[in-house]
């Protein structure tokens, strides 16, 4: 099985600062990490490899510094990583990102499965997976919560969609997006960390993708959605009436709220 | 080729129209006040409700593609046929509910149309230039981005329960356009069967009583359930306890779970991590019970009770029982 895992390096959301006056994100205010949902994608791929054999390649589009995310992916079980990086890729929306990722996948060659996370914590769209599948002209199954069986020509999975869960069988090649509940990602091991240090990553620039990707479809130019304005809403804190004792009064207050809202008969 | 009008995806599940459809029709009508446009709806498969309901709710034209294949959530078949409808209808705006299914087909469809797509919008406006302004939270709900699309159609998925539903006006009529289903044969994904329906849909509940790590034993959720039932509500949970297997994921509230907007939200033993807050901060009234006075959750609550939930919850239950308040 040849499996590509789409991973993105994102700012650490616990620490990143937002300037509500200027409406900007201070990306320098926090370190980076692999998008938490993509760790589940990676773990799913590594588990498939452990079961049926094969190869897991982590793929990311990002600045040169995203190399560290690929190394981390290797330390968590990937065999190698591909960095798709070029100045012109800056400012990509989901369409341009998907165009670039699908071009890199085509350049890399045949594959059985692409696995993406449900969404990123920064872009926050969940669009790149299905858009990439369409551009690769392969099927996709979203919100996969369980992998049931890995057969020779297909994979059987549980997809949580339409207010229920469905058992689906997808032919290869295809793409799946996984939810957080599919697994618990393993931690990097010391041995794997050493291996990651030595890894020879693959890297593609726009020029390397010649024949698969046109410059007009990349970066800011290739992005039809344009952010016109960013507003950082003030955190809407509420004025909390705190009870440290006298809980009978608290419960009476609660009761009157319920009455007001007609929640009781 | 000129693109005109707003097309709304009339999502249904097993024939039952999703209420987001009526919310989108309402918003579409409202946008027509700024710019003259027709409102279209696209329905795939048979719906239980009379098709005319879509006219009553605001559509001027309904595009229908009938086939049994649409009774299953098959993204590939939906995309092909939706694409076909768009080629015929040529709308300038396409609105799709940000349900799980909507979020799975919309990107595939946008890629096929080679157009832009804005995810998970919470507000829409028409700008002075007649273009659609799509407003959406990003960065884990920390910012609101105003986005415009250069290409046509301008596509967006919209969060459920952001807009009011349109009222049904039986005097409205419209035109039904039937379109033949296409490409049903090429099956690369087989939907073997539906395994289960969601245990509960907590996003519809008027009262949610949630438990977090403050819960010491899975069985103790019964206590929260008892309290919730007294108000006709349901039980929610933080991810921490869902991950620990205390309760199913259908109950999870937050960024990677369900967004809820009940009249009353009671958080018991929940610290108030940003990812949890993202899923419940729009509740009408929020009550927090936590024995740590410095817990973040108190910043987002209207009433805060600094105490052991194991003392307070039973007290609440007996108080409500004494008032005889079973719904
Ligand atoms: C990408 C990502 C997505 C996430 N998505 C979600 C999500 O959708 N939903 C979600 O909830 N979380 C989500 N999280 C996790 C989130 O960051 C927190 O870890 C989680 O919400 C914490 O749950 P908790 O409040 O139950 O537990 P804790 O943070 O451990 O808090 C437990 C609280 O209970 C109180 N307590 C303990 N005993 C008692 C008692 N007897 N009586 C009263 N109070 C008591 C403690 O004082 C404490 O404040 C996500 C995280 C990431 C990284
Ligand atoms: N720049 C990128 N490089 C590689 N994979 C990405 C990138 N952006 C998004 N993805 C993948 O697409 C998924 C959805 O991302 P998004 O549409 O940004 O929410 C992520 O979980 C990743 O698996």
């Amino acid at each position: 099985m040849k499996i590509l895992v789409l991973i993105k390096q994102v700012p650490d959301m616990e620490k990143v600062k937002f300037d509500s006056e200027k409406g900007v994100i201070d990306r320098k205010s926090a370190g980076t990490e692999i998008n938490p949902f993509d760790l589940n994608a990676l773990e799913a791929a590594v588990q498939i490899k452990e079961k049926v054999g094969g190869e897991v390649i982590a793929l990311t589009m990002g600045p040169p510094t995203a190399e560290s995310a690929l190394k981390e992916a290797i330390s968590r079980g990937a065999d190698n990583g591909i960095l798709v990086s070029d100045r012109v890729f800056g400012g990509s929306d989901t369409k341009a990102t998907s165009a670039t990722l699908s071009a890199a996948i085509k350049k890399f060659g045949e594959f059985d499965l692409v696995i993406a996370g449900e969404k990123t914590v920064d872009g926050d769209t969940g669009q790149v997976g299905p858009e990439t599948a369409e551009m690769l002209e392969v099927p996709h199954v979203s919100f996969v919560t369980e992998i049931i069986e890995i057969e020779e020509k297909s994979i059987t999975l549980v997809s949580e969609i339409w207010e229920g869960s469905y058992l689906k069988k997808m032919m290869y090649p295809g793409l799946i997006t996984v939810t957080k509940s599919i697994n618990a990602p393993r931690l990097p091991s010391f041995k794997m960390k050493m291996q990651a240090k030595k890894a020879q990553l693959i890297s593609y620039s726009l020029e390397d993708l010649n024949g698969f990707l046109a410059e007009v479809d990349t970066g800011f130019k290739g992005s039809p959605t344009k952010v016109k304005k960013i507003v950082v809403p003030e955190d809407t804190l509420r004025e909390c009436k705190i009870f440290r004792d006298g809980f009978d009064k608290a419960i009476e207050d609660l009761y009157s709220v319920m009455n007001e809202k007609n929640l009781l008969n | 080729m000129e693109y005109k009008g707003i097309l709304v995806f009339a999502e249904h599940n097993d024939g039952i129209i999703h209420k987001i459809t009526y919310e989108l029709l309402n918003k579409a009508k409202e946008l027509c006040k700024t710019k003259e446009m027709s409102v279209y709806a696209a329905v795939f498969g048979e719906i239980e409700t009379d098709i005319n309901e879509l006219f009553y709710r605001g559509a001027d034209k309904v595009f229908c593609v009938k086939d049994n294949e649409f009774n299953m959530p098959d993204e590939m078949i939906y995309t092909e046929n939706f694409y076909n409808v768009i080629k015929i209808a040529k709308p300038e705006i396409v609105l799709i509910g940000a349900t799980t299914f909507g979020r799975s087909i919309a990107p595939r469809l946008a890629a096929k149309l080679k157009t832009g797509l804005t995810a998970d919008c919470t507000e829409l406006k028409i700008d002075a230039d007649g273009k659609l302004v799509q407003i959406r939270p990003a960065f884990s709900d920390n910012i609101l981005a105003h986005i415009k699309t250069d290409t046509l159609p301008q596509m967006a998925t919209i969060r459920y329960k952001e807009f009011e539903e349109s009222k049904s006006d039986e005097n409205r009529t419209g035109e039904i356009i039937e379109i033949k289903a296409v490409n049903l044969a090429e099956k690369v994904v087989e939907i073997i069967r539906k395994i289960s329906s969601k245990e509960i849909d907590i996003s519809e509940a008027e009262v949610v009583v949630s438990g977090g790590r403050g819960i010491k034993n899975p069985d103790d959720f019964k206590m929260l359930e008892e309290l919730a039932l007294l108000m006709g509500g349901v039980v929610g949970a933080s991810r921490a306890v869902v991950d620990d297997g205390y309760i199913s994921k259908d109950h999870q509230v937050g960024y990677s779970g369900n967004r809820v907007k009940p009249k009353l939200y009671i958080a018991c033993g929940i610290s108030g991590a940003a990812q949890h807050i993202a899923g419940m901060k729009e509740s009408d009234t929020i009550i927090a019970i936590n024995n740590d006075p410095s817990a973040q959750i108190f910043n987002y609550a209207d009433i805060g009770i600094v105490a052991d939930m194991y003392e307070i919850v039973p007290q609440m239950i007996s108080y409500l029982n004494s008032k005889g308040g079973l719904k």
Side-chain angles (χ1 to χ4, degrees):
Chain A
M1 278 279 268
K2 202 173 245 183
I3 309 171
L4 286 138
V5 184
L6 307 184
I7 65 166
K8 188 181 182 193
Q9 191 174 49
V10 296
D12 177 351
M13 281 298 149
E14 309 269 298
K15 302 202 186 82
V16 71
K17 299 256 179 336
F18 300 90
D19 186 331
S20 59
E21 257 155 51
K22 292 199 203 101
V24 293
I25 303 132
D26 179 7
R27 285 187 186 257
K28 289 202 191 70
S29 61
T32 57
E33 59 181 16
I34 295 179
N35 177 41
F37 294 91
D38 300 350
L39 292 179
N40 298 94
L42 178 62
E43 179 63 29
V46 175
Q47 285 184 14
I48 293 173
K49 181 182 84 169
E50 284 168 348
K51 245 189 221 132
V52 300
E55 196 184 8
V56 174
I57 311 287
L59 169 63
T60 191
M61 179 191 87
T65 47
E67 206 184 278
S68 62
L70 293 174
K71 296 233 155 147
E72 186 185 333
I74 294 171
S75 74
R76 289 173 184 266
D79 296 288
N80 204 352
I82 307 174
L83 174 67
V84 190
S85 190
D86 200 302
R87 267 233 167 80
V88 299
F89 298 158
S92 292
D93 71 355
T94 60
K95 181 170 177 281
T97 302
S98 306
T100 308
L101 291 172
S102 59
I105 294 170
K106 286 179 193 158
K107 162 92 185 175
F108 183 68
E110 297 210 337
F111 65 92
D112 299 296
L113 203 57
V114 178
I115 309 184
E118 177 185 334
K119 61 181 169 189
T120 51
V121 292
D122 58 350
D124 221 346
T125 79
Q127 291 177 177
V128 168
E131 285 191 53
T132 302
E134 175 61 32
M135 291 174 187
L136 290 169
E137 295 176 71
V138 301
H140 83 273
V141 175
S142 297
F143 309 114
V144 172
T145 54
E146 207 181 326
I147 292 174
I148 304 290
E149 210 183 335
I150 306 144
E151 295 108 316
E152 176 139 5
K153 291 203 167 83
S154 62
I155 184 164
T156 304
L157 343 112
V158 178
S159 161
E160 247 172 48
I161 203 152
W162 253 19
E163 284 124 55
S165 49
Y166 290 80
L167 193 63
K168 295 188 176 188
K169 188 198 261 275
M170 182 182 75
M171 306 296 279
Y172 308 130
L175 181 148
I176 63 174
T177 75
V178 301
T179 70
K180 275 207 96 54
S181 59
I182 190 167
N183 55 37
R186 72 192 65 190
L187 296 170
S189 70
F190 178 72
K191 190 175 135 234
M192 298 299 271
K193 270 190 194 160
M194 294 314 286
Q195 210 159 314
K197 267 201 186 127
K198 285 183 279 173
Q200 294 284 313
L201 300 174
I202 302 166
S203 70
Y204 295 150
S205 64
L206 175 66
E207 205 187 327
D208 295 321
L209 297 176
N210 194 2
F212 300 98
L213 184 66
E215 191 178 339
V216 290
D217 291 324
T218 66
F220 192 71
K221 262 190 260 168
S223 299
T225 58
K226 300 267 154 63
V227 178
K228 299 291 168 185
K229 188 164 90 176
I230 285 176
V231 183
V232 183
E234 296 278 346
D235 216 357
T236 42
L237 302 184
R238 299 188 185 204
E239 208 165 311
C240 189
K241 192 165 164 192
I242 292 272
F243 292 89
R244 286 167 200 273
D245 44 34
F247 299 129
D248 291 348
K249 174 77 177 69
I251 293 171
E252 273 166 36
D253 272 19
L254 168 65
Y255 186 73
S256 48
V257 169
M258 291 175 196
N259 258 336
E260 237 172 72
K261 298 194 184 295
N262 224 344
L263 298 172
L264 295 160
N265 270 345
Chain B
M1 199 160 50
E2 210 189 337
Y3 286 83
K4 267 181 154 164
I6 307 186
L7 183 117
V8 167
F9 174 48
E11 180 172 348
H12 67 88
N13 179 350
D14 249 351
I16 300 169
I17 287 275
H18 196 295
K19 282 189 226 144
I20 181 91
T21 308
Y22 302 140
E23 297 175 2
L24 296 181
L25 285 171
N26 199 24
K27 192 66 190 184
K29 271 199 304 183
E30 192 192 308
L31 294 175
C32 292
K33 285 182 193 150
T34 322
K35 180 177 184 178
E36 216 189 297
M37 289 180 289
S38 295
V39 176
Y40 313 134
V43 193
F44 301 86
E46 300 278 353
I47 52 172
E48 277 177 13
T49 333
D50 185 2
I51 274 263
N52 285 317
E53 186 65 27
L54 294 169
F55 298 127
Y56 303 162
R57 299 291 189 139
D60 301 308
K61 244 186 221 181
V62 176
F63 292 87
C64 285
V65 192
K66 289 195 179 142
D67 200 282
N68 286 336
E69 291 290 347
F70 300 115
N71 294 342
M72 280 290 184
D74 186 322
E75 283 95 334
M76 271 44 76
I77 288 180
Y78 263 87
T79 305
E80 291 287 333
N81 284 279
F82 207 150
Y83 178 79
N84 198 33
V85 167
I86 289 176
K87 285 289 156 198
I88 294 165
K90 295 195 186 69
E92 59 193 296
I93 294 170
V94 177
L95 303 180
I96 295 176
T99 58
T100 46
F101 191 58
R103 280 161 55 213
S104 188
I105 59 165
R108 185 145 200 137
L109 179 61
K112 199 169 170 69
L113 288 161
K114 300 190 165 46
T115 191
L117 172 67
T118 306
D120 231 6
C121 297
T122 53
E123 181 58 301
L124 300 169
K125 280 182 198 153
I126 300 285
D127 216 354
D129 62 1
K131 287 282 201 174
L132 184 69
V133 183
Q134 304 145 73
I135 302 170
R136 68 169 302 246
F139 273 87
S140 306
D141 270 12
N142 279 297
I143 63 160
L144 278 177
H146 292 232
I147 293 168
K148 279 164 89 172
T149 309
D150 295 337
T151 47
L152 288 170
Q154 304 157 82
M155 283 183 65
T157 62
I158 318 294
R159 272 193 196 166
Y160 183 35
K161 290 200 168 171
E162 291 296 334
F163 308 138
E164 294 274 310
E165 274 180 44
S166 52
K167 302 222 163 51
S168 185
D169 170 2
E170 296 192 7
N171 293 319
R172 291 195 48 146
T173 56
E175 187 188 350
I176 296 182
I177 297 171
E178 291 218 21
I179 293 177
K180 254 180 93 78
V182 294
N183 294 346
L184 298 173
E186 298 166 37
K187 280 261 178 63
V188 271
V189 174
E190 179 197 347
I191 302 178
I192 302 172
R193 66 192 158 87
K194 181 169 182 173
I195 301 172
S196 60
S197 293
K198 241 188 181 176
E199 254 177 48
I200 51 155
D201 192 353
I202 67 170
S203 60
E204 298 287 348
E206 290 200 337
V207 177
V208 179
V209 180
S210 286
R213 269 245 158 87
I215 294 213
K216 296 183 180 73
N217 190 314
D219 269 351
D220 300 340
F221 263 106
K222 292 215 180 84
M223 168 174 90
L224 300 188
E225 193 171 346
E226 195 180 344
L227 177 60
L229 283 176
L230 282 170
M231 298 172 280
V234 300
V235 170
S238 73
R239 196 178 109 200
V241 285
V242 171
D243 282 356
D244 288 348
Y246 280 28
I247 191 164
S248 87
K249 176 131 200 272
D250 291 349
H251 296 266
Q252 185 181 319
V253 173
Y255 179 63
S256 53
N258 300 279
R259 280 171 214 281
V260 299
K261 250 187 188 180
K263 289 185 179 162
L264 179 63
Y265 188 85
I266 305 184
C268 309
I270 292 178
S271 60
Q275 293 92 352
H276 188 82
I277 302 296
M280 45 63 84
K281 64 169 182 261
E282 286 173 71
S283 309
D284 274 4
T285 300
I286 298 173
I287 293 174
I289 306 167
N290 195 310
N291 56 13
D292 172 8
S294 65
Q296 269 298 320
I297 189 82
F298 291 123
N299 287 324
Y300 300 89
D302 302 288
I303 299 177
I305 302 176
V306 184
D308 184 344
M309 59 178 280
Y310 283 90
E311 264 172 49
I312 297 298
V313 174
Q315 274 185 45
M316 284 179 168
I317 293 170
S318 57
Y319 184 86
L320 292 183
N321 274 326
S322 75
K323 293 277 178 182
L326 238 167
K327 243 200 170 173

